[in-house]
Amino acid sequence: MVSDQPYAQEFSRRRLLHGSAVAATTVVLGACSTTDGPTADRGDPDPSTRGGKGSRTKPVEPPAKFGEAPALAAQVKAGELPPVAERLPSRPYVVPHRWCTDGKYGGRMLNLVDKSDSGAINEYMYGRSPLRWLNDGLDIGPGVVESWESNDDASEWTLHLREGLKWSDGEPVTAADALYWWEDMVLDEVHTAIPPDSGRSGSGKPMTLSAPDDTTLLLTFDSPTPLTPALLANGVNTLDWFVPKHYLGRFHPKYNKEIEDKNWFEDHDQHANWVVDPDCPTLTGWHTTSYREGRQIVMERNPYYWCVDANGNQLPYVDEVVFSVVTEPEVRKLQIQEGSVDYVHGAFIPIGLGDISGMKSTQNQHDMDVLLWDSGSGTGSVFFFNYDYPEPGLRRLIRNPKFRQALSYGFNRAEAQKAIYYNTGEKTTGTYSPKSIEYQVNDEGKQVYRTWRDAYVDFDPDKAAQMLDELGVVDSDGDGVRELPGGGKLRIRIDVPADVSAEHSSKNNLLKADWEKLDIAVEINPIAPEAFGDQWQNGQLMAQSSWEVGDGPDHITGPWWFVPIEPARWAPLHGRMWSLRGTPEENKETDVYPWKRTPPRVDPEPGSPIARLWEMYDRAKSETDALARHRIVWDMVRIHIEDGPFFMGTVANYPQVTMRKKELRNVPARDQLALGGMVNTWAHPTPAVYDPEAYYWENPDAHT
C-alpha cells in the first residue's frame, strides 16, 4: 500500500441568513440546483487524466530553482534570513491545482470572522496536516509527510517526513516533534489530550509510535487500520501530530523543572495554539504577529513555508492576512457591501442565498464576485431527537422508528426548500454528504444514496396521521392534542441555543407548524448557548434543531453522525460510553442507573440498532479491501433507513456562498473543482484544501 496510488475508496459549520427577494435569488441560483447528487466516478484508475479541473493526484516534481517574495529577498540580502533554497525542504510541496496560474507577490487580504478563536482561522490553512485531501475528497496527497506505506494488513504504517522541513522560526521539524505530542501530551498522565482517531487502531487501542530516525515515524497498531491516510488528512483544528517541541518544552514540567502548577497543561496548550500565541512556531503559510482577542488577528508570511508554485516560487503570494472579528451579522454584511473586505468564505460568515441579490446590487461598492461552491451538505438544517432522553415513556416513543418516520412524512420540505434554500439543492430524508465516496464508487453506491435520501422524504400528512394512530399516539382525552400511547402528555420540545441562526429558526417554525397540523403539541425552547452543550451531552434535552450533517469525504473516518461515538449528537449517552472505551472509566459504576452515572452513559441493548452500528463500524475500520468496506457502510445505511431516521434532513447540497474581490486570483470557481466543492465539513477543511496561500492580487500595490 503506497502513497502514489489514487485514493478511491472522511460539526458542520455554516450559518445562513434568510433574506428577501426570493424570486430574484431563485433566478440567480437556478443553475446551481442539483437533482441526483454528483456523478463523478471516484473509481477512475487515473484521476490525473480528468481534464482541466481539479488537482493532480501524483506529487508534482519541484523545479531546480526557487523564487521568493521581494520582502524576503531583501532580508536575505541584508543577512537577516538564509537564502530561500536553505529555508525550503529538499523537496517542497508543489501546489497541484490545475486552476492555479502564476501569481504576484505582495498586498494584504482582509477577512472577517465571527469570533477570535482559532477554529475558523485554522480552516483556512492546511500547512500543519500530515496528509491532504485533494479533489473534494476523491484523493489524498502528501503534506508534512512526503510519502507513506504500510505492511500487507495495514497494521503498521511508515511515514516519511520532508527532509529539511522547518518551523516558522527556522528550527528543524523532526520526528521528535511528533514524539513530543504523543509521549508528552497524549500519553502524559496529567495532560488532558486523548488519542485521535489517527492514533488508534480499528479496535480503538492507541498505537505505538516510534522514530527510527529524524525523518521517519513508525505507527504500529494491534489490528489492521487501513484508513490511516484518510485520518491523517482529516481536519486542521487539533494539536495532533506535529508540535514545536523546542518551544513547548519550556512549558512542560518534564523539560522545565521550575513548573510546579498541577494545571500546567492549560498554560501549555494556550502556548501551543499558534493563532493565539504569536511566539508559537507554526508550519502554516502565515504566522500570527498580532492577536487582539475579540478584535483582530494579523498574520504575515512564514519565511519558511514549505510549499511552492509550479515555477518554484515560495508561497504565500500575499504578504499579510488580517482577520477582523465582527460578531453582529448585519454589521458584517454592511462591511462587505461597503468594500471593507477582500474575501468571504460562506462557511464562517453568514452571507446566505437570500443575501445574493443585495450583494449583486451593491457590487459597484464592494467590487466582489459571488462564487457558489457546492456545500456538500447531507441535510441542510437538521432535526434530531435525543435517543437517550431520560423520561422512560417518551424515550420508548422516540426510539420507535415509526414515530420518527411519521414525523418525517409530516414535514413539508418543499416549502422549506423554497423559503430557505431558494429552490436549490435536493429534498432529503437526511444522509451523509452526497459526495461521500461510498455513494460514488459504483452504481450500487449511488442507489444506496438515493434510497436513503428518499426513504421518508415525501410530504404525506395523511400517512403521518395514520402511522401515529397505529402507534396509539392519539387524542385520548378529547382536547384536540395527541397523547402518549396509553395516555400521558406528549409535547415535542425543540431545544435550540438562544443564538440559533435564521436558517434553523425558519426551519424550526415550519416544523412546528407542520406538526401542529397533526395535532401534536410543539414547543421551541431557546437555551443559553453557554449551557446548551453540557445539557445535551448529559442527556437532559429532548431534541435539537440547530445543526446540519455535512460530514464526508466518507462515512468511517468522520462517523460522528453515522455512529454514536461521542456525546454531541443524536445518542449522547451511547456516544459517551463509546468515547470511554479502553479507559479506566469504562468499567466504573456498572451497577449505577445509566442516567445517574458520572458522566451519564449507557450501553446499547444487544441487537439494537446502535449495537449493530458499533459492531459494523469496528469491522469497517479494520477492513483492508475498499469495496468490502463500502459494502459494510451500505449495510449500516440500511440500518439508518429501516430503524431511522435518527436525524431528519431538509435540503441537501444547496450552494454555499464565497465572495472575493475581482482582483483576487486563483480562487477557484465551482466548475474548476473536481466535484463542485465540498464546503460544509470540518474533516475536509475549506478553503484550506484549495490553498489560499496561492491566492494573489493582480495589482498587489493597490492592496497594501
Side-chain angles (χ1 to χ4, degrees):
M1 304 176 77
V2 295
S3 63
D4 61 353
Q5 297 300 311
Y7 176 67
Q9 4 191 240
E10 200 212 88
F11 198 20
S12 149
R13 54 200 163 89
R14 184 237 355 46
R15 289 192 272 257
L16 178 66
L17 287 177
H18 175 53
S20 58
V22 176
T25 302
T26 301
V27 170
V28 173
L29 294 172
C32 301
S33 223
T34 57
T35 55
D36 206 25
T39 58
D41 180 6
R42 296 173 96 168
D44 181 355
D46 185 9
S48 64
T49 64
R50 285 185 184 126
K53 66 179 183 179
S55 307
R56 296 171 181 84
T57 58
K58 295 184 179 181
V60 181
E61 286 295 315
K65 294 183 179 180
F66 302 105
E68 61 188 349
L72 298 183
Q75 293 180 50
V76 172
K77 186 175 181 179
E80 299 169 358
L81 273 180
V84 63
E86 296 178 17
R87 303 197 307 270
L88 289 167
S90 58
R91 291 179 55 82
Y93 178 82
V94 181
V95 171
H97 312 311
R98 291 188 180 90
W99 65 80
C100 284
T101 60
D102 295 347
K104 300 178 181 179
Y105 284 115
R108 166 189 282 193
M109 184 167 63
L110 305 177
N111 308 268
L112 294 179
V113 289
D114 61 358
K115 51 188 174 182
S116 56
D117 67 11
S118 58
I121 294 172
N122 272 317
E123 291 283 302
Y124 276 76
M125 304 181 198
Y126 220 171
R128 298 180 300 126
S129 186
L131 302 178
R132 294 178 172 219
W133 290 113
L134 295 172
N135 293 320
D136 294 336
L138 290 172
D139 305 291
I140 292 177
V144 173
V145 171
E146 183 177 14
S147 63
W148 63 99
E149 67 270 349
S150 78
N151 60 356
D152 289 341
D153 73 349
S155 63
E156 183 175 282
W157 289 85
T158 303
L159 311 182
H160 303 282
L161 281 62
R162 295 180 186 274
E163 294 188 8
L165 192 69
K166 295 179 177 63
W167 292 99
S168 56
D169 61 357
E171 290 295 315
V173 177
T174 71
D177 294 310
L179 290 176
Y180 177 89
W181 160 71
W182 185 250
E183 296 173 356
D184 299 319
M185 295 174 65
V186 176
L187 300 184
D188 187 277
E189 293 182 355
V190 177
H191 196 278
T192 54
I194 60 174
D197 290 339
S198 58
R200 293 191 286 187
S201 70
S203 67
K205 294 185 179 179
M207 67 180 173
T208 298
L209 181 65
S210 58
D213 56 54
D214 282 349
T215 59
T216 307
L217 290 170
L218 185 63
L219 289 57
T220 305
F221 300 95
D222 70 330
S223 61
T225 311
L227 293 172
T228 294
L231 293 166
L232 290 172
N234 267 5
V236 289
N237 269 301
T238 64
L239 296 176
D240 294 356
W241 284 95
F242 296 99
V243 297
K245 177 182 179 180
H246 68 281
Y247 177 68
L248 293 180
R250 69 186 72 173
F251 309 106
H252 197 300
K254 178 179 176 180
Y255 301 95
N256 184 350
K257 301 305 180 183
E258 296 181 2
I259 296 177
E260 298 179 354
D261 182 3
K262 63 180 180 180
N263 294 321
W264 60 268
F265 53 86
E266 295 178 0
D267 182 58
H268 175 278
D269 285 0
Q270 182 79 356
H271 286 289
N273 187 336
W274 70 277
V275 174
V276 172
D277 181 4
D279 293 327
C280 180
T282 184
L283 294 169
T284 53
W286 296 276
H287 67 96
T288 301
T289 57
S290 171
Y291 176 82
R292 292 186 289 168
E293 184 173 1
R295 297 182 64 187
Q296 189 183 73
I297 303 100
V298 180
M299 299 183 176
E300 67 180 24
R301 68 171 62 255
N302 170 6
Y304 294 90
Y305 190 48
W306 46 278
C307 302
V308 300
D309 68 13
N311 294 319
N313 295 307
Q314 186 186 33
L315 298 174
Y317 289 129
V318 174
D319 289 331
E320 187 175 72
V321 293
V322 178
F323 294 91
S324 295
V325 181
V326 183
T327 58
E328 292 297 323
E330 293 305 316
V331 175
R332 288 195 293 264
K333 284 198 292 186
L334 182 62
Q335 290 194 5
I336 293 168
Q337 290 177 318
E338 290 177 342
S340 302
V341 183
D342 297 324
Y343 181 72
V344 177
H345 186 60
F348 308 117
I349 299 301
I351 299 303
L353 304 181
D355 298 312
I356 292 178
S357 294
M359 291 298 170
K360 285 189 172 293
S361 69
T362 56
Q363 200 165 40
N364 289 338
Q365 294 172 254
H366 56 68
D367 198 35
M368 300 183 82
D369 285 330
V370 175
L371 305 177
L372 298 178
W373 293 340
D374 284 359
S375 65
S377 173
T379 62
S381 181
V382 67
F383 169 89
F384 54 99
F385 280 110
N386 172 6
Y387 198 79
D388 300 323
Y389 192 62
E391 198 283 306
L394 187 52
R395 184 170 70 248
R396 282 193 297 270
L397 184 61
I398 288 172
R399 289 188 178 183
N400 190 320
K402 296 298 182 183
F403 178 63
R404 288 174 272 119
Q405 292 163 15
L407 293 179
S408 185
Y409 284 127
F411 177 29
N412 188 349
R413 292 172 172 85
E415 185 178 357
Q417 184 180 36
K418 178 180 179 181
I420 304 172
Y421 300 102
Y422 299 91
N423 286 327
T424 64
E426 54 193 51
K427 296 187 295 294
T428 182
T429 299
T431 70
Y432 253 43
S433 172
K435 300 174 187 289
S436 295
I437 178 62
E438 294 89 351
Y439 306 145
Q440 304 301 319
V441 67
N442 59 23
D443 288 341
E444 184 178 0
K446 293 171 184 174
Q447 183 57 50
V448 167
Y449 167 71
R450 289 191 290 264
T451 301
W452 190 5
R453 179 195 65 190
D454 298 339
Y456 311 106
V457 76
D458 291 341
F459 178 51
D460 193 338
D462 291 338
K463 184 173 185 176
Q466 180 183 347
M467 293 176 70
L468 292 171
D469 290 345
E470 292 171 353
L471 290 170
V473 181
V474 297
D475 177 13
S476 57
D477 61 8
D479 65 352
V481 179
R482 295 176 185 267
E483 279 81 46
L484 291 169
K489 187 175 182 180
L490 170 61
R491 176 179 291 270
I492 294 178
R493 192 182 71 237
I494 303 176
D495 299 307
V496 294
D499 61 353
V500 64
S501 74
E503 174 200 9
H504 301 301
S505 179
S506 297
K507 190 282 307 288
N508 294 340
N509 289 332
L510 294 174
L511 269 185
K512 183 176 187 294
D514 285 343
W515 289 345
E516 286 177 339
K517 292 174 185 176
L518 296 173
D519 299 329
I520 296 175
V522 182
E523 170 191 359
I524 297 176
N525 179 40
I527 295 173
E530 59 272 15
F532 188 90
D534 287 342
Q535 290 185 37
W536 181 268
Q537 294 187 25
N538 287 326
Q540 298 167 352
L541 305 182
M542 182 185 295
Q544 187 180 151
S545 199
S546 57
W547 274 7
E548 71 160 26
V549 178
D551 290 299
D554 66 59
H555 292 63
I556 301 302
T557 60
W560 311 283
W561 291 96
F562 198 49
V563 187
I565 62 169
E566 49 76 59
R569 291 163 177 82
W570 53 270
L573 270 60
H574 281 84
R576 177 77 72 184
M577 180 63 81
W578 173 278
S579 71
L580 296 176
R581 292 201 327 172
T583 72
E585 302 298 316
E586 180 181 11
N587 296 314
K588 292 182 179 179
E589 300 184 309
T590 56
D591 57 345
V592 177
Y593 184 61
W595 283 264
K596 298 293 185 182
R597 293 171 179 168
T598 306
R601 57 196 185 276
V602 62
D603 268 317
E605 299 175 3
S608 67
I610 292 179
R612 287 180 283 144
L613 287 171
W614 280 11
E615 184 274 329
M616 297 163 87
Y617 175 56
D618 276 338
R619 282 198 287 120
K621 287 191 298 179
S622 299
E623 177 54 66
T624 57
D625 181 83
L627 184 56
R629 186 167 58 250
H630 299 332
R631 293 190 182 281
I632 295 173
V633 168
W634 296 338
D635 287 340
M636 296 169 76
V637 168
R638 292 183 182 99
I639 293 175
H640 276 262
I641 294 171
E642 295 167 5
D643 294 283
F646 299 111
F647 50 84
M648 188 185 306
T650 305
V651 170
N653 204 32
Y654 57 87
Q656 185 62 275
V657 177
T658 290
M659 298 179 65
R660 62 160 174 85
K661 280 282 198 293
K662 291 180 181 296
E663 275 198 15
L664 189 62
R665 304 299 170 83
N666 279 347
V667 182
R670 180 187 183 279
D671 60 3
Q672 293 176 302
L673 301 173
L675 290 181
M678 183 167 57
V679 175
N680 290 21
T681 169
W682 289 103
H684 180 262
T686 311
V689 291
Y690 307 137
D691 287 294
E693 294 84 359
Y695 296 176
Y696 72 92
W697 291 111
E698 181 62 30
N699 182 13
D701 292 340
H703 300 276
T704 57

